[in-house]
Amino acid sequence: MNISEVHTEVKKFFPEKISDVIASGPLSFFYFEPEIIKELFLVLRDKIGMEFKHLSYIAAVDNKECFELVYCLYSYRWGNVIHLKTRLSRENPIIKSISDLFVAAEWHEREAYDLMGIIFEEHPDLRRIMMPDDFEGHPLRKDFKEKDNYHGIPTSREKILGKF
Amino acid sequence: MTLEERLNLVKRENEILLNMGPQHPSTHGVIRFIVRADGEIMVEALPVVGYLHRGIEKLAEQTPYTGFIPYTDRVDYLAAMFANHAYVMGVEKLLGIEVPKRAEYLRVIACELNRIASHLIALGSMAMDIGAFTPFLHGIRERELINDITEMLCGARLTYNYMRVGGVSKDIDDRIIKKINDFLDRFLPGFIDEFNRLITNNEILVKRCVNIATVSADEAINFGLVGPNLRASGVKWDLRKNMPYSVYPELKFEVPVGEGFRGEVGDSYDRFVVRVKEMEESARILKQAVSQLPEGEILAKVPKRIKPPKGEVYSAVESARGELGYYIISDGTENPYRVKIRTGSFSAMKAIHIKSQGCFIADLVVLIASMDIVAPEIDR
């Protein structure tokens, strides 16, 4: 089942909440509204014929106007891979966690929270994963500015080449 | 929530906290585990990662497309060829470049050599964690020969930077082909037999690994395990077969899966044996690839300044640690807009956290080693 077949199948369940299939270069995907994430992924995971049981990764993208989350799902039974996207507002990037449906999601969501600052509701253990606990800011955001010191340790070096 | 708060939240009265790492020989890199134990039984081994976080994904946004290739080597230092391969494949898809046949064969040869080298370290260090030192040295000895070959091939022994957008950097010559053939002659069946006699069928290793941390097929899929870890649980999924890329459709090989060689399907011993069998298959692929190597160019015509059109791509290869994929967004400039690296070790860590629950403390090193995690691949 390729992306357009999945799209027509899913469209029956959520006619209003799903965009058309968009081709962006070699990759095709569709957008869904963030509020239906749980129901949508339950359908994708358990409906006979789709069975996308493997969540490969979640990528958070800073699109300047909004944040985007990219979900990649595999169906080992049918040999398919699909990509889905959702948009979150910059001011209030909150979405429901799907870690109860896919165990793999738990760490990917922690990474998205740590590096992009997206809040996952009902997540069992939403902590920073890569950066230290006391780190301020979310480094993968496009407007992230590195602080000039961390606990009194300067983060930039004196330019030695100009001196000579 | 910080780490201390998390631990205080769940810790019960009779439990002890035990720290393992970040500097510990059995964690295969800089990873920390906080073991909550009730006597000898672990309640959980909480992984704390991030010690090797270099922000490769952020660096990618500030580097031109070609300039990022050396960084991909650092994603997984034991199997750098695959990280090279997946990235250049992604950029080629964005640009719509056809890679010459000879270059594709050279990529396969380099990757399969690298897979053998990586599995040798994985198996050797697993045996060493259990207490057998000699197999590690045997593995290192064979890997040294592979390192010699890659040194002749691309000038580097560990971080290769061999692949280019549109092909590879250097051509192979008769001297290297002879060296590869010499290596294959001693590797299959000689070394594999020796290794099996030495350690795979060793009673102590078998007893330590059988029925430890069994991952069922459904669990493995849900945990997001990939590569040999997934196949050891009995799921026959290999990107080389199921979503073929490069010239793998032209090569004949089997995909070994876990069958419960001594215990249950998907235990630590299955993960060990599947890797041994994968090395045999890699050697078979190498034999065919070297004998079928076509003549021709090794680099396609690629513009000096790479500026892919707007678009997105996901390209994945079957690395030694499973699916290694790059999700690249191009906004039409010289630098990628966003690069997300999906690695096998990252998802394996969550599986270690869950599977450690109820294990003996002594079995934690077996579990970690059998998942074959590499720290820079987790943190990136």
Side-chain angles (χ1 to χ4, degrees):
Chain A
M1 206 180 252
N2 63 22
I3 180 83
S4 50
E5 285 164 348
V6 171
H7 180 257
T8 38
E9 197 69 21
V10 170
K11 193 103 181 166
K12 288 180 200 158
F13 287 87
F14 314 100
E16 303 284 301
K17 309 279 188 188
I18 291 196
S19 81
D20 292 331
V21 176
I22 299 163
S24 169
L27 196 76
S28 295
F29 53 84
F30 60 80
Y31 284 99
F32 61 91
E33 298 285 325
E35 66 261 21
I36 59 158
I37 181 163
K38 278 263 174 98
E39 295 81 4
L40 175 66
F41 277 71
L42 197 64
V43 169
L44 288 169
R45 191 188 70 166
D46 289 346
K47 187 160 187 325
I48 307 291
M50 297 204 262
E51 288 157 84
F52 290 97
K53 290 185 187 296
H54 171 75
L55 178 88
S56 186
Y57 66 92
I58 301 172
V61 181
D62 183 356
N63 240 351
K64 291 197 176 120
E65 303 99 51
C66 62
F67 290 121
E68 281 185 0
L69 282 179
V70 186
Y71 291 82
C72 172
L73 294 168
Y74 274 79
S75 165
Y76 287 146
R77 176 137 184 230
W78 303 104
N80 294 324
V81 52
I82 54 163
H83 286 77
L84 311 172
K85 280 190 175 189
T86 190
R87 288 198 185 95
L88 302 175
S89 73
R90 261 197 100 89
E91 297 73 41
N92 203 15
I94 297 179
I95 191 166
K96 282 223 163 63
S97 162
I98 51 163
S99 52
D100 52 345
L101 299 176
F102 300 91
V103 172
E106 192 181 324
W107 272 40
H108 287 289
E109 287 175 351
R110 273 179 72 185
E111 194 184 345
Y113 162 72
D114 184 2
L115 302 180
M116 202 61 96
I118 288 155
I119 313 279
F120 292 90
E121 279 178 334
E122 298 165 26
H123 188 282
D125 191 15
L126 198 63
R127 285 181 291 123
R128 284 191 180 271
I129 185 165
M130 300 296 178
M131 315 306 286
D133 281 339
D134 58 353
F135 192 83
E136 286 169 31
H138 302 286
L140 272 187
R141 287 189 179 186
K142 291 281 178 189
D143 56 1
F144 174 75
K145 290 262 178 340
E146 198 180 7
K147 294 242 158 38
D148 55 357
N149 75 79
Y150 178 72
H151 292 291
I153 308 161
T155 53
S156 57
R157 270 186 305 185
E158 216 184 321
K159 283 205 171 59
I160 49 168
L161 281 178
K163 281 186 178 171
F164 300 103
Chain B
M1 191 160 57
T2 62
L3 181 62
E4 281 78 32
E5 285 165 3
R6 156 81 165 76
L7 286 170
N8 288 334
L9 199 71
V10 289
K11 190 178 175 301
R12 284 190 290 266
E13 206 172 295
N14 53 349
E15 289 171 359
I16 50 164
L17 283 184
L18 200 67
N19 187 56
M20 179 177 174
Q23 306 291 343
H24 189 284
S26 291
T27 55
H28 299 195
V30 196
I31 312 165
R32 183 177 169 208
F33 287 89
I34 298 170
V35 179
R36 267 169 61 214
D38 186 354
E40 276 288 298
I41 311 271
M42 285 187 289
V43 181
E44 65 169 353
L46 188 71
V48 182
V49 301
Y51 293 94
L52 281 171
H53 180 64
R54 294 144 295 169
I56 290 187
E57 290 173 8
K58 186 82 180 174
L59 284 170
E61 293 169 10
Q62 292 148 17
T63 322
Y65 279 93
T66 40
F68 185 59
I69 300 173
Y71 284 110
T72 62
D73 288 329
R74 276 79 183 167
V75 170
D76 178 357
Y77 60 84
L78 284 180
M81 239 15 133
F82 298 100
N84 270 196
H85 194 180
Y87 176 71
V88 294
M89 228 165 67
V91 181
E92 282 154 9
K93 273 190 203 163
L94 275 174
L95 287 164
I97 291 177
E98 184 95 6
V99 181
K101 203 83 191 229
R102 188 175 173 87
E104 291 280 22
Y105 267 92
L106 290 180
R107 283 180 182 182
V108 167
I109 290 171
C111 281
E112 295 304 326
L113 278 171
N114 208 188
R115 189 189 310 277
I116 294 177
S118 173
H119 280 351
L120 282 170
I121 292 286
L123 298 171
S125 59
M126 180 168 171
M128 191 161 75
D129 288 346
I130 290 168
F133 197 82
T134 320
F136 183 67
L137 296 178
H138 282 243
I140 284 277
R141 187 190 65 201
E142 300 302 308
R143 178 173 174 264
E144 203 58 27
L145 298 171
I146 296 175
N147 281 354
D148 286 345
I149 295 169
T150 52
E151 191 180 1
M152 287 161 87
L153 194 62
C154 57
R157 297 168 70 84
L158 210 57
T159 46
Y160 308 109
N161 189 19
Y162 178 53
M163 311 222 179
R164 295 286 181 273
V165 176
V168 294
S169 66
K170 283 193 189 71
D171 204 352
I172 204 165
D173 59 25
D174 291 341
R175 216 161 43 99
I176 305 174
I177 288 178
K178 187 177 173 300
K179 198 131 188 182
I180 294 174
N181 280 329
D182 287 351
F183 168 75
L184 290 175
D185 287 343
R186 65 175 274 143
F187 190 78
L188 200 71
F191 174 77
I192 293 279
D193 279 355
E194 186 194 59
F195 194 77
N196 284 343
R197 277 204 314 278
L198 187 66
I199 188 72
T200 313
N201 298 319
N202 180 302
E203 208 48 39
I204 302 170
L205 179 108
V206 172
K207 284 241 165 76
R208 282 296 304 273
C209 294
V210 161
N211 295 350
I212 300 295
T214 308
V215 184
S216 70
D218 286 345
E219 278 178 334
I221 294 171
N222 200 13
F223 291 171
L225 288 182
V226 283
N229 296 335
L230 176 73
R231 290 192 283 276
S233 298
V235 184
K236 202 164 187 165
W237 178 270
D238 190 318
L239 286 177
R240 292 174 292 174
K241 279 261 191 234
N242 297 73
M243 293 184 172
Y245 56 93
S246 198
V247 288
Y248 282 109
E250 297 173 16
L251 303 162
K252 284 195 195 72
F253 61 99
E254 291 294 314
V255 178
V257 290
E259 297 159 2
F261 295 102
R262 291 290 179 97
E264 298 164 347
V265 177
D267 61 2
S268 297
Y269 187 70
D270 272 15
R271 289 193 279 274
F272 189 96
V273 176
V274 161
R275 288 202 173 83
V276 177
K277 287 179 183 274
E278 269 191 18
M279 289 200 300
E280 290 177 33
E281 294 304 325
S282 287
R284 277 195 200 112
I285 294 173
L286 274 171
K287 263 188 191 150
Q288 296 169 47
V290 169
S291 64
Q292 294 174 15
L293 187 67
E295 291 296 318
E297 293 284 309
I298 58 157
L299 203 58
K301 290 240 171 336
V302 181
K304 265 258 157 57
R305 285 168 63 191
I306 290 178
K307 249 183 164 177
K310 268 190 187 174
E312 296 167 31
V313 72
Y314 177 65
S315 76
V317 299
E318 185 71 32
S319 113
R321 263 159 283 284
E323 184 185 336
L324 198 157
Y326 286 79
Y327 169 68
I328 307 169
I329 301 182
S330 157
D331 61 347
T333 57
E334 283 180 31
N335 299 359
Y337 184 76
R338 171 89 167 90
V339 173
K340 159 86 189 172
I341 310 170
R342 183 261 184 271
T343 56
S345 300
F346 187 79
S347 34
M349 285 301 280
K350 184 64 206 166
I352 290 176
H353 180 211
I354 292 171
K355 279 293 146 189
S356 66
Q357 295 164 8
C359 267
F360 282 107
I361 293 175
D363 291 335
L364 180 60
V365 286
V366 178
L367 171 56
I368 296 169
S370 74
M371 289 284 182
D372 186 20
I373 49 168
V374 166
E377 216 195 16
I378 303 165
D379 299 343
R380 303 184 301 283

